């Protein structure tokens, strides 16, 4: 057997084995020397004399050196007698006399034998002391090395091998084993041996019969000695070592235990019978306690480090839980499964399954340690497999070997692990999913690790609840903000088109919906017409016009039934009409917009994976639709009110204008009447003067000018009187407005040409006639033409058109390309004496307005968007 040298101390054999001779050999040497001594006397006693007698000292000294003081003393006495007898025999004389003569020499001989014995005792004591010192030195050196190896632990497998090797060398055994207690209860595992096999032999779980020796030593806490292995019935060589040609005769089992800490034991075997001294057993017990103390120390340190790692990891997880908003739920869950692999020894794979409530399936949300795995292969259903059972029943489940467990779901591919531990991820009584850890070795997880995995499951549940709470809070904030923005926009705006545009924009921007659109029901055709839609950034689409037949698609169905509709699988809806521009859509909800108990339109929201629509979205969009309906209803009421106010204002303005015109008419009639009489007198006097022959030619010319002017003034007064003279219905005639326009154009054609004004007339061929006074209608059109000419001093275009208006009226429009009407006088354009002309009187449009009113018509003026003014006149058909 080749042993490794440990700690620089070569292997030393027992001191007894180093003695060159046994007791028999020593005795044979002494006898041989005595015989040699006798032979020497026999050959030549005379020549030897005293020298020959002195040779007896050699065997005496050797007897003392070999056998001690007593034997040396006896050897001296016996040799003295023998020497006297030999001298008497070979030399002659009485032996007593010879004895008496050699007393001084014999005393020296006896002293030499005794001294040699003393020397032997001294040498033995010194050798024994040296042996003890070497033994103790070796013992302490090995103990010290073992302690250093334990405290400098780097690789536990190497440490176990070094320990069993050092103990085997210390007791000069042939081979040894080292076992420790396994994670499972009453489990003993072989972790190191000095023997070698081609296949791995460590981490071998011993059978019950093979573990009896170790269990006995651990229970007693004392070294367990087997001096006769063959007849003891104990199994020394476990597992594959039974097949080796080993024949242990003696064995010593040293337990590694101290107080409640029972790590394991070392067993050393001897191929020859071996008896152990009390000192060896005491040292064996000390070694066991020293190793146990060292292992307990590193175990405590490892436990402390483990607790520190757990505390740091849990603290990191808790910190991440507080930063879920920034970190994200997926990263927190990934941190938890990575921590499970780090904190639970032996874990190769970890996974968190969360329940998909809609599909009722456990989906892997975070995995660690899986390589090239398809996540769908890890899907489970509640009640299916071990994780499914934990999801249904709760509690931590640990399986030592999945291949022998009935609840483990078989996979298509071979199982890559044996140990499995699963804990629920639950908040209160609500189970959210499971967390699982796996190991390739069987029986890898202890009861202590159940608590840790359960704690990680609780942390995952807290993370999920925090994420859900955060998501709910953010969703609520987004909803409140969106509703606030929408409500503020709806309150601030009275434009229905702008309201719908704002709604689709805010819904998409606030909630990230893929596509939002609003359809409005056409009251005449009952078709659904798209009014507004959001632009999906990925498509870059612009709003488009689209019509849907009544009841067509999800939108038509919602408009027809008046009931909100929600689906996350549009392809499963029979009446769904796909839009090729939005082929990614998988979810859609539609909510009717009700105005005055009728479906005004539909607010439609579409989403694509991975996004999904929920009942919360339906509720939110429903609230927005209600707000939009109220706003639309308010805009309609506002429009109706504005229209009513406009009509009331128009009527009030007409009444005021009529009163003003009546007042002006009465004033002008009175003034014209008062002026007409003196004017007639003046004209008569002028006619008389004209017939007077005493007037010079120049005076005649001047008089003619005065008469001409007075005639013009009389004509003006007559026109004023006729304009404001009350009209009678019997005076009205049938008037064709197209003919009147053409007559007026013939009258002013030359004037238009001189002013570089182009005339455009767009008459309706079958224009109905009106009932009125032809001269006053001509005056109205002439006034408008002349105003247009005066507004275009540098030339331009005069555009006139006639058309039928709602079957009851005709519409006459007169527009020009001038600068338009000053906005400051626009509201009072028909008031008397209101004008922007330098030489105008401000009565033309006032008279025009009055004539139109007396014909039961109405007039409206506005500036064209490009340039010029536009007058619109409505006359009732005759």
């Amino acid at each position: 057997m080749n042993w490794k040298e440990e700690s620089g101390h070569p292997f030393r054999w027992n001191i007894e084995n180093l003695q060159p001779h046994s007791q028999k050999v020593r005795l044979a040497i002494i006898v041989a020397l005595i015989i040699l001594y006798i032979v020497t006397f026999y050959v030549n006693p005379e020549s030897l004399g005293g020298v020959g007698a002195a040779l007896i000292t050699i065997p005496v000294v050797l007897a003392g050196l070999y056998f001690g003081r007593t034997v040396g003393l006896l050897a001296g006495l016996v040799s003295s007698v023998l020497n006297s007898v030999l001298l008497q025999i070979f030399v002659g004389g009485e032996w007593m006399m010879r004895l008496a003569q050699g007393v001084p020499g014999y005393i020296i001989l006896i002293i030499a034998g005794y001294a040699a014995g003393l020397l032997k005792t001294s040498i033995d004591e010194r050798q024994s002391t040296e042996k003890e010192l070497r033994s103790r030195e070796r013992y302490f050196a090995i103990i010290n090395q073992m302690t250093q190896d334990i405290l400098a632990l780097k690789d536990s497998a190497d440490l176990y091998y070094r320990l069993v090797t050092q103990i085997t060398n210390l007791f000069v055994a042939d081979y040894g084993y080292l076992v420790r207690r396994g994670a499972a209860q009453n489990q003993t595992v072989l972790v190191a041996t000095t023997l070698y096999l081609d296949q791995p032999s460590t981490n071998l779980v011993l059978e019950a019969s093979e573990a009896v020796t170790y269990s006995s030593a651990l229970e007693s806490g004392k070294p367990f000695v087997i001096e006769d292995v063959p007849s003891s019935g104990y199994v020394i060589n476990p597992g594959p070592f039974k097949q080796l040609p080993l024949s242990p005769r003696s064995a010593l089992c040293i337990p590694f235990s101290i107080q409640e800490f029972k790590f394991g034991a070392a067993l050393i075997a001897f191929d020859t019978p071996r008896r152990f001294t009390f000192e060896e057993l005491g040292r064996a017990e000390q070694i066991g306690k020293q190793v146990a103390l060292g292992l307990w120390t590193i175990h405590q340190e490892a436990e402390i480090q483990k607790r520190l790692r757990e505390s740091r990891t849990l603290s990191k997880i808790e910190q991440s839980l507080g930063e879920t908003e920034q970190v994200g739920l997926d990263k927190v869950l990934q941190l938890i499964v990575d921590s499970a692999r780090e904190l639970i020894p032996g874990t190769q794979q970890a996974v968190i399954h969360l329940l998909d409530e809609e599909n009722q399936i456990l989906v892997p949300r975070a995995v660690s340690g899986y390589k090239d795995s398809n996540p769908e292969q890890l899907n489970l259903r509640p009640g299916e497999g071990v994780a499914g059972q934990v999801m249904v029943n709760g509690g931590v489940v640990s399986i030592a070997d999945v291949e022998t467990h009935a609840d483990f779901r078989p996979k298509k591919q071979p199982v890559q692990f044996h140990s499995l531990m699963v804990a629920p991820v639950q908040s209160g009584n609500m189970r959210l999913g499971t967390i699982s850890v796996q190991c390739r070795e069987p029986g890898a997880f202890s009861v202590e690790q159940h608590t840790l995995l359960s704690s990680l499951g609780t942390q995952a549940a807290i993370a999920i609840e925090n994420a859900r709470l955060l998501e709910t809070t953010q969703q609520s904030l987004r909803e409140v903000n969106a509703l606030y923005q929408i409500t503020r926009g709806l309150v601030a705006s009275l434009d229905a088109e702008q309201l719908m545009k704002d709604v689709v924009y805010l819904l998409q921007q606030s909630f990230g919906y893929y596509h939002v659109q609003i359809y409005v029901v056409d009251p005449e055709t009952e078709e659904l017409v798209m009014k507004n839609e959001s632009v999906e950034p990925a498509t870059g689409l612009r709003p488009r016009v689209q019509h849907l037949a009544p009841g067509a698609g999800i939108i038509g169905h919602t408009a027809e039934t008046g009931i909100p509709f929600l689906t996350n699988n549009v392809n499963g809806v029979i009446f769904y009409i796909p839009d090729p521009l939005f082929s990614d859509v998988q979810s859609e909800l539609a909510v009717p917009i009700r105005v005055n108990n009728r479906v005004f339109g539909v607010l439609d929201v579409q989403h694509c994976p991975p996004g999904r629509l929920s009942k919360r979205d339906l509720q939110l969009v429903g609230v927005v639709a209600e707000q939009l309906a109220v706003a639309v209803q308010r805009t309609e009421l506002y429009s109706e009110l504005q229209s009513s106010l406009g009509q009331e204002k128009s009527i009030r303005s007409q009444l005021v204008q009529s009163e003003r015109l009546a007042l002006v008419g009465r004033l002008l009639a009175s003034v014209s009447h008062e002026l007409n009489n003196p004017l007639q007198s003046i004209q008569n006097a002028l006619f008389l003067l004209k017939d007077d022959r005493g007037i010079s030619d120049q005076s005649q010319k001047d008089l003619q000018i005065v008469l001409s002017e007075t005639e013009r003034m009389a004509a003006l007064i007559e026109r004023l009187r006729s304009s404001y003279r009350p009209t009678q219905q019997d005076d009205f005639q049938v008037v064709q407005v197209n003919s009147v326009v053409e007559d007026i154009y013939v009258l002013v054609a030359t004037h238009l040409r001189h002013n570089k004004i182009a005339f455009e007339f767009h008459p309706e061929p079958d224009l109905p006639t009106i009932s009125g006074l032809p001269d006053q209608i001509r005056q109205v059109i002439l006034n408008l033409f002349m105003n247009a000419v005066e507004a275009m001093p540098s030339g331009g275009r005069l555009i006139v058109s006639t058309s039928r208006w709602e079957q009851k009226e005709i519409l006459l429009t007169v527009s020009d390309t001038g600068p338009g009407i000053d906005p400051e006088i626009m509201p009072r354009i028909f008031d008397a004496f209101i004008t922007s002309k330098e030489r105008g009187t401000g009565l033309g449009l006032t008279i025009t307005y009055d004539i139109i009113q007396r014909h039961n018509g109405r007039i409206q003026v506005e500036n064209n968007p490009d340039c010029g003014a536009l007058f619109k006149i409505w006359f009732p058909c005759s």
Side-chain angles (χ1 to χ4, degrees):
M1 188 69 65
N2 293 325
W3 300 103
K4 293 171 62 178
E5 293 185 0
E6 302 290 340
S7 306
H9 294 280
F11 184 87
R12 297 184 180 126
W13 288 94
N14 189 285
I15 189 65
E16 296 294 334
N17 294 331
L18 293 175
Q19 295 294 341
H21 308 291
S22 64
Q23 297 288 346
K24 294 181 180 180
V25 173
R26 296 172 183 174
L27 183 58
I29 292 173
I30 294 173
V31 172
L33 289 174
I34 292 174
I35 294 172
L36 179 62
Y37 173 73
I38 294 173
V39 171
T40 302
F41 264 88
Y42 178 78
V43 172
N44 192 3
E46 290 295 336
S47 62
L48 291 175
V51 177
L55 292 176
I56 195 64
T57 306
I58 296 175
V60 172
V61 172
L62 289 178
L65 289 175
Y66 285 159
F67 299 103
R69 293 171 297 178
T70 302
V71 175
L73 182 60
L74 291 175
L77 293 173
V78 172
S79 297
S80 297
V81 175
L82 177 63
N83 192 59
S84 297
V85 172
L86 291 176
L87 287 174
Q88 188 269 333
I89 294 172
F90 292 105
V91 177
E94 293 291 332
W95 69 273
M96 291 294 295
M97 184 183 64
R98 294 289 185 185
L99 180 62
Q101 291 176 352
V103 167
Y106 294 146
I107 292 173
I108 294 173
L109 180 63
I110 294 171
I111 293 173
Y114 185 77
L118 288 176
L119 180 61
K120 193 266 183 190
T121 301
S122 176
I123 292 173
D124 287 346
E125 289 178 354
R126 188 179 66 179
Q127 288 181 343
S128 177
T129 302
E130 290 180 355
K131 177 182 178 182
E132 181 66 23
L133 289 176
R134 286 195 299 269
S135 177
R136 287 179 178 274
E137 180 185 0
R138 183 166 174 268
Y139 167 75
F140 287 117
I142 292 178
I143 287 291
N144 181 60
Q145 185 63 41
M146 293 171 67
T147 304
Q148 291 181 5
D149 290 343
I150 294 173
L151 296 179
L153 173 66
K154 294 182 179 179
D155 182 6
S156 58
D158 181 66
L159 171 64
Y160 298 151
Y161 173 76
R162 292 174 69 88
L163 289 177
V164 69
T165 301
Q166 289 164 344
I167 292 174
T168 303
N169 288 346
L170 179 63
F171 289 94
V172 198
D174 293 291
Y175 55 90
Y177 305 102
L178 193 148
V179 301
R180 66 167 300 171
R181 286 192 168 180
Q185 189 175 8
N186 298 326
Q187 191 180 70
T188 304
V189 182
L190 176 66
V191 294
T193 178
T194 59
L195 298 174
Y196 297 94
L197 290 177
D198 293 337
Q199 65 273 18
S201 58
T202 56
N203 294 325
L204 174 68
V205 178
L206 303 185
E207 298 178 358
S209 60
E210 299 169 343
V212 172
T213 307
Y214 307 98
S215 300
S216 300
L218 280 175
E219 290 299 326
S220 65
K222 301 288 184 180
F224 186 77
V225 178
I226 307 175
E227 293 185 347
D228 188 5
V229 172
S231 60
S232 67
Y234 289 104
V235 178
I236 301 301
N237 300 316
F241 300 103
K242 294 178 182 179
Q243 310 301 325
L244 296 179
L246 302 174
S247 57
R249 301 298 301 276
S250 300
L252 175 64
C253 185
I254 304 174
F256 299 151
S257 65
I258 180 171
Q259 296 181 357
E260 300 300 324
F261 177 73
K262 298 182 183 297
F263 174 81
L267 185 143
I268 53 177
F270 302 85
D271 292 337
T272 58
R274 172 71 184 271
R275 292 184 178 275
F276 299 94
T277 65
F278 288 107
E279 183 180 3
E280 289 177 328
L281 294 177
R283 289 184 177 180
E285 184 176 356
Q286 291 178 358
I287 288 174
K289 293 185 180 301
Q290 186 72 19
V291 171
L293 181 61
L295 292 174
W296 180 81
T297 301
I298 63 172
H299 177 269
Q300 290 298 107
E301 183 180 357
E303 191 68 21
I304 292 172
Q305 294 297 327
K306 176 184 175 183
R307 298 301 181 192
L308 287 175
R309 287 197 306 271
E310 291 178 4
S311 299
R312 286 195 295 265
T313 304
L314 293 177
S315 176
K316 184 177 180 181
I317 293 173
E318 290 176 359
Q319 182 179 0
S320 299
L321 294 180
E323 300 174 352
T324 305
E325 180 180 1
Q326 294 82 13
V327 177
L329 176 60
D330 290 337
K331 289 188 177 180
V332 174
L333 296 180
Q334 187 63 43
L335 174 62
I336 291 174
V337 295
D338 291 340
S339 300
R341 290 186 63 199
E342 177 183 353
L343 297 178
I344 300 178
T347 301
Q348 277 99 30
Q349 297 170 336
V351 58
I352 290 179
H353 284 89
L354 295 185
L355 179 64
D356 182 351
E357 296 181 357
E358 182 173 352
N359 297 318
Q360 284 299 301
I361 189 170
L362 287 169
V363 179
R365 188 67 179 271
V367 296
S368 179
Y370 288 88
K371 296 181 179 179
D372 301 329
S373 61
N374 184 2
E376 294 183 357
Q377 295 178 351
L378 303 177
N379 289 348
L380 294 170
R381 294 193 176 276
E384 181 182 27
V386 178
Q389 292 289 337
V390 171
M391 184 66 191
V392 174
N393 302 323
V396 180
V397 173
S398 181
I399 300 175
D401 194 343
V402 295
E403 292 185 348
T404 61
H405 199 274
D407 289 338
F408 185 75
R409 186 183 73 165
K411 304 268 183 86
K412 294 181 180 179
Q413 65 273 20
V415 177
Q416 301 296 325
F417 60 91
H418 290 275
S419 297
L420 173 66
M421 185 166 56
V422 185
V425 176
Q426 63 182 24
S427 176
N429 295 325
M430 182 175 64
R431 297 188 185 93
L432 308 175
T434 63
I435 178 171
S436 308
V437 292
Q438 302 164 2
C439 180
R440 298 185 185 92
E441 302 295 333
F445 303 123
S446 64
V447 177
E448 181 185 16
Q449 294 163 353
H450 294 187
T451 304
L452 179 57
L453 187 64
S454 180
S455 176
L456 291 175
T458 302
Q459 297 288 348
I462 294 174
I464 295 169
E465 287 299 308
N466 286 352
R468 288 184 175 179
L469 179 61
L470 176 63
E471 183 180 358
T472 302
T473 303
Q474 290 178 337
Q475 178 74 5
S476 299
L477 288 175
R478 288 196 301 267
E479 291 176 1
V480 170
N481 182 61
L483 291 175
Y484 169 74
Q485 296 292 338
I486 292 173
T487 303
R488 187 177 67 174
L490 297 180
V491 170
S493 177
L494 293 173
D495 185 355
E497 293 286 340
Q498 186 63 37
L499 289 178
M500 290 184 282
K501 182 178 180 180
D502 293 341
V503 165
V504 297
Y505 173 77
L506 288 172
L507 281 177
Q508 186 186 49
Q509 293 299 314
S510 300
F511 303 101
Y513 294 135
Y514 181 70
H515 187 230
V516 183
Q517 54 190 352
I518 294 179
Y519 279 77
V520 175
V521 178
D522 188 336
E524 295 183 0
T525 63
E526 295 186 354
E527 285 186 339
L528 289 158
V529 182
M530 179 185 288
K531 284 296 183 181
N532 289 96
E533 68 172 338
S534 61
V535 178
E536 206 286 318
T539 61
L541 296 176
R542 294 182 177 179
R544 53 202 164 87
V545 178
Q546 185 172 347
H547 296 264
L548 289 175
I554 293 177
I555 297 173
H557 172 78
T558 303
E560 190 174 51
T561 60
I563 301 174
F565 186 87
L566 169 64
T567 179
N568 282 307
N569 182 18
V570 292
N571 295 321
V573 179
I574 300 176
F575 46 83
Y576 172 68
I577 300 177
D579 190 337
L581 297 178
F582 298 97
S583 58
D584 295 335
V585 170
Q586 289 293 329
S587 304
E588 184 171 0
L589 70 84
V591 177
I593 305 173
R594 293 182 174 275
V595 177
N596 296 326
N597 295 325
R598 64 180 176 86
V599 177
F600 169 79
V602 175
L603 176 56
D604 183 72
V605 174
Q606 297 174 336
H607 220 10
C608 60
R612 297 174 64 84
L613 297 173
S614 63
K615 293 182 179 179
R616 189 181 183 94
D617 295 302
L618 182 62
Q619 181 181 6
L620 170 67
V621 177
V623 173
V624 174
E626 291 176 0
Q627 293 288 333
L628 181 59
V630 172
V632 170
Q633 185 175 5
R634 185 167 57 83
T635 57
E636 289 186 351
L637 292 175
Y638 179 78
S639 298
E640 294 177 0
L641 178 61
Q642 288 295 101
S643 178
S644 300
L645 289 175
Q647 293 178 3
E648 188 269 340
K649 183 178 180 181
S650 177
I651 293 173
R652 185 186 297 114
S653 299
Q654 292 176 7
L655 290 175
V656 172
Q657 187 70 12
S658 297
E659 290 296 329
R660 289 178 179 176
L661 291 177
L663 179 61
V664 171
R666 288 194 296 271
L667 178 61
L668 289 177
S670 175
V671 171
S672 62
H673 177 73
E674 294 298 329
L675 291 177
N676 186 57
N677 292 331
L679 186 59
Q680 291 292 332
S681 299
I682 292 173
Q683 281 183 323
N684 291 332
L686 291 175
F687 278 119
L688 293 175
L689 288 174
K690 182 181 179 182
D691 294 335
D692 189 356
R693 298 185 180 275
I695 299 175
S696 65
D697 293 337
Q698 182 62 40
S699 297
Q700 285 288 342
K701 291 179 180 180
D702 294 336
L703 182 61
Q704 185 63 36
I705 293 173
V706 173
L707 283 174
S708 175
E709 291 300 320
T710 56
E711 288 177 356
R712 192 167 68 85
M713 290 179 62
L716 175 61
I717 291 173
E718 181 61 26
R719 287 201 304 272
L720 290 174
R721 292 177 64 186
S722 62
S723 296
Y724 288 97
R725 184 185 301 117
T727 58
Q728 303 296 327
Q729 192 68 28
D730 295 339
D731 298 335
F732 279 27
Q733 302 176 14
V734 175
V735 178
Q736 174 55 258
V737 176
N738 286 344
S739 300
V740 175
V741 172
E742 292 173 353
D743 292 343
I744 298 300
Y745 170 68
V746 172
L747 181 64
V748 299
T750 302
H751 187 62
L752 294 176
R753 186 167 56 255
H754 288 166
N755 287 276
K756 301 179 181 179
I757 296 175
F759 180 76
E760 296 181 10
F761 182 37
H762 305 283
E764 183 171 328
D766 298 328
L767 186 69
T769 59
I770 66 171
S771 179
L773 299 175
D775 291 340
Q776 292 189 359
I777 299 299
R778 288 189 180 92
Q779 184 176 355
V780 167
I781 296 174
L782 180 60
N783 282 345
L784 295 178
F785 279 17
M786 297 309 296
N787 285 341
V789 171
E790 291 175 359
M792 297 182 290
S794 300
R797 288 188 303 156
L798 176 61
I799 305 168
V800 182
S801 67
T802 58
S803 61
R804 185 189 299 267
W805 184 264
E806 296 183 353
Q807 306 298 324
K808 297 179 180 179
E809 295 176 308
I810 68 164
L811 173 62
L812 169 67
T813 63
V814 178
S815 64
D816 59 65
T817 57
I821 300 173
D822 188 350
E824 293 183 359
I825 67 173
M826 178 73 78
R828 300 177 291 118
I829 192 66
F830 296 112
D831 292 349
F833 310 113
I834 299 298
T835 181
S836 60
K837 302 175 185 177
E838 296 180 358
R839 301 170 59 184
T841 61
L843 292 175
L845 288 178
T846 303
I847 295 172
T848 298
Y849 185 89
D850 183 60
I851 293 173
I852 294 172
Q853 288 289 320
R854 280 184 283 169
H855 283 76
N856 297 320
R858 64 185 189 279
I859 184 172
Q860 178 180 333
V861 62
E862 62 186 33
N863 285 324
N864 287 319
D866 297 331
C867 61
L870 171 65
F871 286 86
K872 296 180 181 180
I873 305 171
W874 290 268
F875 289 111
C877 297
S878 61

